[in-house]
Amino acid sequence: MADVTLKGITKSFGKGGAKRAVDGIDLAIADGEFVVLLGPTGAGKTTTLRLIAGLETPDAGTVSIGGRPMADLAPASRDVAFVFQQYSLYPHLTVYENLAFPLRSPARRMEAAAIDARVREVAKMVRIDHKLENRSTRLSGGEMQRVAIGRALVRRPSIYLMDEPLSSLDAKLRGELRLELKRIQKDLGATLLYVTHDQIEAMTMADRIGILAEGRLVQIGTPREIYADPANLHVAARLGQPHINLLPVGLLPDVPAPPGTTTIGARTEHIALAREEGGNARVDWIEHLGDQNHLHIKLGEQKLVTLADPDVAVSPGDRISLSLRNPLYFGQDGQRLV
Amino acid sequence: MSPAKTTTVNTAHSVVEPSARSKRIAGTLVIVYALVTMLPLAWIFLTSIKSPPDSISYPPKILFTPSIEGYCNLFTTRTRQTPEYIASLPAPDGVCDAVTRQRNMVIAGPSNFLPRFTNSLIIAFGSTFLAVGLGTLAAYGFSRFKVPMADDLLFFILSTRMMPPIAVAIPIYLMYRQLGLSDTALGMMLLYTAVNVSLAVWLLKGFIDEIPREYEEAAMIDGYSRLQAFRKVVLPQATTGIAATAIFCLIFAWNEYAFASLLTSGSAQTAPPFIPTIIGEGGQDWPAVAAGTTIFLVPILVFTILLRKQLLRGITFGAVRK
Ligand SMILES: Nc1ncnc2c1ncn2[C@@H]1O[C@H](COP(=O)(O)OP(=O)(O)O)[C@@H](O)[C@H]1O
Ligand SMILES: [Mg+2]
């Protein structure tokens, strides 16, 4: 394991570099750290990983792994492991052969017995040891992803790079594998860069989250920091269920907004509600999620959504009074004002 | 018991599944088409087991006594002898000997069919191997690397097939004479390779384009060189395409007639120009010609049956999965 540093890496595609996929990213990943890059489709997540792996050459900037600059080093010499978003397994090989494939590479020259021991150990770790002789095409989606992750784990590279490895799975499996992956990473003390568009994966697994938007690293910090202390509107909008409510300033006159505020961001924890005849807001409708309710509220023409316990006694049409407690303030340019 | 016991039995077939009736019609059409296309082949086979008089009788005989004479004549040359001489010979050695003597002839030696057939095998399989090998490498290059003017090059490669062979036959004939390649197996192999390589590049590029490059990239990250990744990851997944391409190339090289009859006459002559020249007494020896044709069909038949699964997927260009 080793630390990984990106300095100003930039990559464009298309004629004359028309499309900036990655735009001046600076990122330092410490040894043994689990960093998640969170961003929507097209944000440049895959490209960032491919640049680190050496599958793409940066237009500018440097990648170094363990202090060693990686410029002009072929992927095989970089000592990274990669879990691809798609096409993760070789369809013509069995599970066992897929897991052994990285160890059998000419660069590694491991002995057959050592390979066998390692494959079986990792197969147990990712709980696929009962299907070692299966063709890799004869697996369920969850099993395939386990093998794909296992194929990275058979090696002890400087860094594991994972490109949305769980995105093709259903919610339940995703939840399980999320936990397992975090456990394995902790046990191994592995350095891991994981990219996803799923905020829950980011929040639950990361030591630090980097928010990626249009090729730029907008903010990086612990999950708590990113959630509670977003640098701008974009970051605030990436996290939180339900989605953060964005209100024009002045909608609620008694909010102590700092000068220059144009937008107020209010999550559930910023919203205080009470039933009150003649209150300033009205319950529009209620979505029942089981353990919780989504309360849809109308404040004048403005719609808000907030979480509420199922036993909060309100029904659609009720008047309520709504006030904000320490909401987030954003200026004209979307930057946070404190 | 619930009163609303209306379990809907879903008898409607799926939307994409053809109905039984259209399946029957399709089946009938296929069978009729197969019969029509197989009729000439059946006729050739029947002719090959007729005696020479039966083979040219008019109206054609449907019922006849099968004879092995065509096959005997195909593999031998014979000379006419007087009945007294034949009577003085020891007992016939084998079926063909006996059949030949009934026509007042004796076997003089082996015919040229076997060497010609061997030439065909060597040239067709050799050129197929070369064309598919070169084609795979070229297709991989075009598929994976930024080749300058790739589109123009690919068009150029294809354009070599746009001319009828006869248009280039004379220049090639002259060229081959200069180079000493006329009437050599090597010359024919190179020529068929050159013709087939364009087809191979185009077909295989399609197949290789469909193999996600992530597989090779994963291998290269895992410590394999590009060439090793190609061998371990791309080739195994391209077998279907390679098999289909090989059959197309083989069929062309096996059946090719125009170049073969122009450029070969002796030691490198292939079966197609040889078979029609089999002459018997008083004209064409039709049963022998038919026997030659029948045997000529066998290698392609075997090859196709062996690779039929790959061929089906290959012909549909990957549209049929699994
Ligand atoms: N090989 C490529 N050629 C052209 N454009 C590309 C290529 N790879 C990525 N891009 C573009 O770069 C941007 C970022 O892509 P990507 O890194 O795949 O995003 P993500 O993984 O976050 O969805 C996208 O707009 C994408 O279209
Ligand atoms: Mg991606």
Side-chain angles (χ1 to χ4, degrees):
Chain A
M1 296 293 138
D3 54 299
V4 174
T5 314
L6 312 185
K7 277 216 181 73
I9 55 162
T10 299
K11 177 74 186 177
S12 304
F13 292 107
K15 279 220 164 67
K19 169 78 202 166
R20 276 257 160 116
V22 170
D23 193 356
I25 289 190
D26 290 305
L27 175 65
I29 303 168
D31 195 6
E33 191 177 25
F34 195 137
V35 173
V36 175
L37 292 182
L38 178 65
T41 303
K45 303 184 295 294
T46 301
T47 308
T48 306
L49 294 186
R50 292 173 61 88
L51 284 163
I52 298 173
L55 296 173
E56 307 279 355
T57 320
D59 300 335
T62 57
V63 175
S64 42
I65 298 178
R68 223 156 48 101
M70 290 288 120
D72 303 323
L73 235 55
S77 329
R78 294 195 174 199
D79 193 28
V80 303
F82 203 122
V83 179
F84 285 87
Q85 184 169 6
Q86 262 182 308
Y87 311 118
S88 41
L89 302 183
Y90 300 123
H92 60 292
L93 300 180
T94 63
V95 170
Y96 185 97
E97 289 164 337
N98 263 287
L99 290 173
F101 192 84
L103 303 178
R104 286 178 177 159
S105 83
R108 222 146 266 114
R109 293 173 193 281
M110 263 175 86
E111 293 200 5
I115 291 178
D116 186 68
R118 194 88 191 83
V119 166
R120 287 179 195 285
E121 178 193 341
V122 166
K124 266 212 194 73
M125 205 189 287
V126 294
R127 314 227 164 99
I128 198 74
D129 44 330
H130 55 295
K131 295 231 165 140
L132 278 175
E133 297 311 319
N134 281 38
R135 273 302 273 266
S136 57
T137 43
R138 297 273 152 82
L139 297 176
S140 71
E143 290 165 342
M144 280 191 188
Q145 280 326 93
R146 278 165 209 271
V147 179
I149 292 169
R151 213 179 54 192
L153 296 178
V154 289
R155 293 177 42 203
R156 292 273 180 272
S158 300
I159 184 167
Y160 294 101
L161 305 171
M162 301 199 181
D163 191 359
E164 312 203 31
L166 309 183
S167 65
S168 58
L169 305 178
D170 62 59
K172 182 168 172 290
L173 256 173
R174 230 177 12 226
E176 286 172 21
L177 282 183
R178 215 160 58 206
L179 284 175
E180 280 182 45
L181 190 59
K182 180 67 192 173
R183 171 181 62 81
I184 292 170
Q185 182 265 341
K186 260 199 185 139
D187 291 352
L188 296 178
T191 312
L192 207 159
L193 180 60
Y194 184 108
V195 307
T196 181
H197 65 266
D198 183 323
Q199 52 163 310
I200 302 188
E201 285 177 17
M203 289 298 286
T204 52
M205 292 192 290
D207 295 325
R208 280 191 303 154
I209 296 177
I211 302 289
L212 210 56
E214 287 164 1
R216 257 174 271 226
L217 188 59
V218 184
Q219 188 179 2
I220 181 151
T222 64
R224 242 354 296 151
E225 282 165 13
I226 298 282
Y227 181 82
D229 205 9
N232 60 28
L233 262 177
H234 176 88
V235 176
R238 292 294 317 165
L239 294 172
Q241 262 304 335
H243 211 250
I244 191 167
N245 297 292
L246 299 174
L247 316 172
V249 71
L251 193 65
L252 288 162
D254 48 348
V255 175
T261 303
T262 54
T263 309
I264 298 176
R267 294 205 176 100
T268 296
E269 62 270 28
H270 303 134
I271 296 174
L273 297 173
R275 260 191 80 175
E276 187 183 310
E277 286 303 322
N280 58 355
R282 185 171 57 81
V283 176
D284 201 18
W285 91 87
I286 301 174
E287 273 179 303
H288 300 280
L289 304 180
D291 56 337
Q292 277 174 322
N293 288 344
H294 274 181
L295 230 52
H296 292 251
I297 299 168
K298 275 198 117 167
L299 181 66
E301 283 308 298
Q302 181 72 38
K303 290 181 181 166
L304 289 91
V305 185
T306 181
L307 274 181
D309 281 337
D311 44 286
V312 171
V314 288
S315 41
D318 286 354
R319 296 304 301 190
I320 48 175
S321 76
L322 183 149
S323 57
L324 300 181
R325 289 182 309 219
N326 303 321
L328 307 171
Y329 303 105
F330 300 97
Q332 180 72 48
D333 53 359
Q335 292 303 310
R336 174 96 177 281
L337 302 172
V338 196
Chain B
M1 268 284 144
S2 128
K5 221 182 102 198
T6 51
T7 1
T8 37
V9 177
N10 194 356
T11 48
H13 53 77
S14 113
V15 196
V16 286
E17 179 90 350
S19 71
R21 190 164 144 265
S22 49
K23 269 189 192 164
R24 259 199 314 277
I25 294 175
T28 315
L29 280 177
V30 167
I31 289 169
V32 168
Y33 178 75
L35 285 177
V36 169
T37 50
M38 270 157 53
L39 196 65
L41 298 182
W43 192 255
I44 286 170
F45 175 70
L46 288 177
T47 305
S48 79
I49 54 169
K50 281 178 179 173
S51 65
D54 281 351
S55 74
I56 50 172
S57 73
Y58 188 83
K61 284 192 178 170
I62 302 293
L63 293 173
F64 57 89
T65 327
S67 152
I68 199 170
E69 200 172 341
Y71 290 87
C72 291
N73 291 355
L74 176 66
F75 284 99
T76 59
T77 55
R78 301 155 307 278
T79 51
R80 181 162 287 282
Q81 295 294 347
T82 56
E84 296 75 34
Y85 173 76
I86 288 172
S88 73
L89 289 174
D93 170 27
V95 198
C96 281
D97 218 3
V99 170
T100 311
R101 283 182 199 183
Q102 279 168 14
R103 300 251 177 247
N104 282 336
M105 294 199 273
V106 291
I107 292 171
S111 75
N112 270 337
F113 179 72
L114 213 56
R116 301 299 186 252
F117 188 79
T118 313
N119 282 341
S120 263
L121 283 177
I122 294 172
I123 292 169
F125 279 90
S127 70
T128 299
F129 180 80
L130 284 176
V132 172
L134 293 172
T136 308
L137 293 176
Y140 181 76
F142 276 116
S143 173
R144 293 301 197 254
F145 297 104
K146 273 200 198 108
V147 180
M149 303 197 305
D151 290 346
D152 302 310
L153 283 174
L154 279 168
F155 180 77
F156 170 72
I157 289 172
L158 186 66
S159 71
T160 59
R161 284 202 76 121
M162 291 177 183
M163 272 177 289
I166 282 302
V168 289
I170 305 291
I172 287 177
Y173 177 75
L174 295 174
M175 226 159 65
Y176 267 38
R177 228 179 33 185
Q178 286 290 315
L179 294 170
L181 287 171
S182 308
D183 203 18
T184 62
L186 178 67
M188 294 314 288
M189 234 190 277
L190 289 177
L191 181 61
Y192 291 166
T193 305
V195 175
N196 270 338
V197 116
S198 62
L199 175 79
V201 170
W202 273 80
L203 282 180
L204 285 164
K205 181 173 178 297
F207 286 108
I208 293 178
D209 280 344
E210 282 201 1
I211 303 172
R213 48 172 80 212
E214 275 90 342
Y215 290 130
E216 290 141 82
E217 291 176 343
M220 289 197 288
I221 289 173
D222 284 337
Y224 291 78
S225 70
R226 180 172 285 278
L227 214 60
Q228 290 157 344
F230 173 74
R231 211 165 49 92
K232 294 258 179 189
V233 178
V234 180
L235 275 190
Q237 293 189 62
T239 44
T240 302
I242 290 174
T245 309
I247 289 187
F248 286 126
C249 290
L250 184 73
I251 289 175
F252 168 82
W254 188 252
N255 290 342
E256 206 285 328
Y257 181 79
F259 285 124
S261 60
L262 194 76
L263 296 176
T264 67
S265 48
S267 61
Q269 193 182 39
T270 54
F274 171 77
I275 292 171
T277 65
I278 301 168
I279 308 281
E281 278 207 321
Q284 215 84 33
D285 186 346
W286 291 115
V289 168
T293 310
T294 305
I295 294 176
F296 185 70
L297 291 172
V298 170
I300 293 283
L301 200 67
V302 171
F303 201 67
T304 312
I305 289 172
L306 284 180
L307 296 180
R308 65 188 180 283
K309 261 196 211 140
Q310 281 85 348
L311 189 61
L312 180 65
R313 279 187 61 187
I315 289 176
T316 52
F317 298 101
V320 179
R321 283 271 165 232
K322 287 252 167 77

